[in-house]
Amino acid sequence: MKKLILLLLLAGQSAFAQKEAADFKAIQLNNKAFLPNEFKAQFAATDFSSLFTKTENENVFGFIGDDYQRIRIKIISVSKSKSKPYTYHVYGKSMVKTNIDQFSGTLQITNILKQKVMSYGIDDMYKNRGDKGEYVIVGNYMFSEPRNEKHSGIFKGVFRSFFYLDKHNHMHYDDIQLGDSYNNNQFVGIWKSYDGKFVQRCNWGDWRIPDSGDFDSGAGDFSPGKNIQNGWTTYVDQFNSSDKKLKEKAKAAEKAKWWL
């Protein structure tokens, strides 16, 4: 009976997480801020690899599980497939508590849409720069951890990334609106163990975490509002601690290159 209950619980968690990812993708594709046209073919020759390694890791936030346990994700290298124009090969590492694991896999672009109205930054600071358009990439990802490692599995879900074209038609990571509530490279999905015994929500992104509900209580910037003990202590201490030494130690921990 206990085994049956566990199986039903896992099935429910998996179904919820997969629906969450599907809903996230549908919201991106039906966003009225974007033109209904599909622009993917226009960018078949474009290499988007640099978009996914742009942001310093101290500004990439993620959680795994319903208790919002912190997971740190570092995408170390990305390369465009030579034979499949919308496929990218990825290598990186994840860290939960003190456990660091490697992963490798693919990003698969399924859609590219164009924003109807170009944004120009705070106080229209980029209005006269000549940029030609802002776009959103939507796709699927699957990253696999080595099977010979304990408690290993796969990350699977959907992603959304923003880029823009400058006046020379060069592609750039879209940080035009960098400021309050800014986000990019949003990943929504699951982590599932190879033996199928564990299925957990796992979301991460640049500057904010997608679909994080009331966990992120920040108005302008990311701020964990609960479950601080689940890996978020140093993030909070670097801003809020009254102990100068503790504050500096926390800042160093956030900036540490843990994946090396």
Side-chain angles (χ1 to χ4, degrees):
M1 179 61 73
K2 289 183 178 179
K3 186 175 181 180
L4 176 60
I5 292 173
L6 178 61
L7 290 173
L8 290 173
L9 180 61
L10 290 173
Q13 290 175 336
S14 179
F16 173 80
Q18 291 181 45
K19 183 179 184 303
E20 181 182 25
D23 288 348
F24 179 82
K25 187 173 187 178
I27 289 171
Q28 312 311 310
L29 297 179
N30 293 299
N31 190 332
K32 298 302 181 183
F34 292 90
L35 296 170
N37 316 61
E38 176 58 62
F39 286 81
K40 190 171 74 168
Q42 177 181 321
F43 293 99
T46 302
D47 189 342
F48 292 110
S49 298
S50 62
L51 295 182
F52 306 100
T53 57
K54 168 76 173 179
T55 303
E56 294 291 337
N57 193 247
E58 65 192 90
N59 295 315
V60 179
F61 308 114
F63 70 78
I64 183 167
D66 292 332
D67 60 353
Y68 298 100
Q69 172 65 50
R70 187 178 189 179
I71 183 170
R72 300 193 70 170
I73 298 285
K74 175 63 178 180
I75 293 180
I76 297 171
S77 65
V78 183
S79 60
K80 183 181 174 73
S81 170
K82 294 181 179 179
S83 59
K84 300 177 181 179
Y86 306 115
T87 299
Y88 290 77
H89 301 288
V90 175
Y91 169 73
K93 292 185 180 182
S94 68
M95 181 170 70
V96 178
K97 298 180 181 179
T98 58
N99 298 315
I100 298 175
D101 291 305
Q102 303 178 66
F103 61 78
S104 61
T106 59
L107 296 166
Q108 180 70 42
I109 295 173
T110 58
N111 307 88
I112 298 180
L113 303 178
K114 185 177 183 180
Q115 193 164 296
K116 291 178 180 178
V117 180
M118 184 81 195
S119 53
Y120 298 109
I122 299 171
D123 297 326
D124 287 344
M125 61 189 299
Y126 302 124
K127 189 172 184 178
N128 299 315
R129 194 166 63 176
D131 295 333
K132 293 187 176 180
E134 289 178 286
Y135 299 80
V136 62
I137 297 172
V138 179
N140 305 318
Y141 69 88
M142 182 179 287
F143 306 150
S144 302
E145 296 172 327
R147 283 185 174 270
N148 59 353
E149 292 185 4
K150 191 176 182 180
H151 303 307
S152 59
I154 62 169
F155 298 94
K156 180 181 180 181
V158 304
F159 73 93
R160 180 265 285 155
S161 300
F162 292 128
F163 71 94
Y164 72 89
L165 296 182
D166 66 19
K167 63 181 180 181
H168 302 296
N169 284 319
H170 295 154
M171 185 277 301
H172 300 270
Y173 178 99
D174 192 347
D175 55 3
I176 292 174
Q177 291 296 115
L178 184 61
D180 288 356
S181 301
Y182 173 81
N183 67 78
N184 206 339
N185 288 339
Q186 303 284 281
F187 289 76
V188 175
I190 62 170
W191 177 87
K192 183 177 182 179
S193 62
Y194 286 120
D195 60 14
K197 293 182 179 179
F198 299 97
V199 180
Q200 296 179 301
R201 294 175 68 206
C202 186
N203 300 348
W204 74 90
D206 297 358
W207 304 93
R208 306 301 281 247
I209 308 176
D211 286 8
S212 54
D214 62 356
F215 170 69
D216 181 357
S217 63
D221 298 321
F222 169 74
S223 180
K226 60 181 181 180
N227 298 67
I228 307 300
Q229 72 280 5
N230 292 338
W232 300 100
T233 304
T234 55
Y235 179 79
V236 173
D237 284 347
Q238 69 176 327
F239 302 114
N240 299 337
S241 178
S242 58
D243 184 323
K244 186 176 180 180
K245 288 185 178 179
L246 181 59
K247 197 170 187 176
E248 291 304 313
K249 186 177 180 180
K251 286 181 180 179
E254 289 298 305
K255 292 178 179 291
K257 291 179 169 51
W258 53 268
W259 59 92
L260 297 181

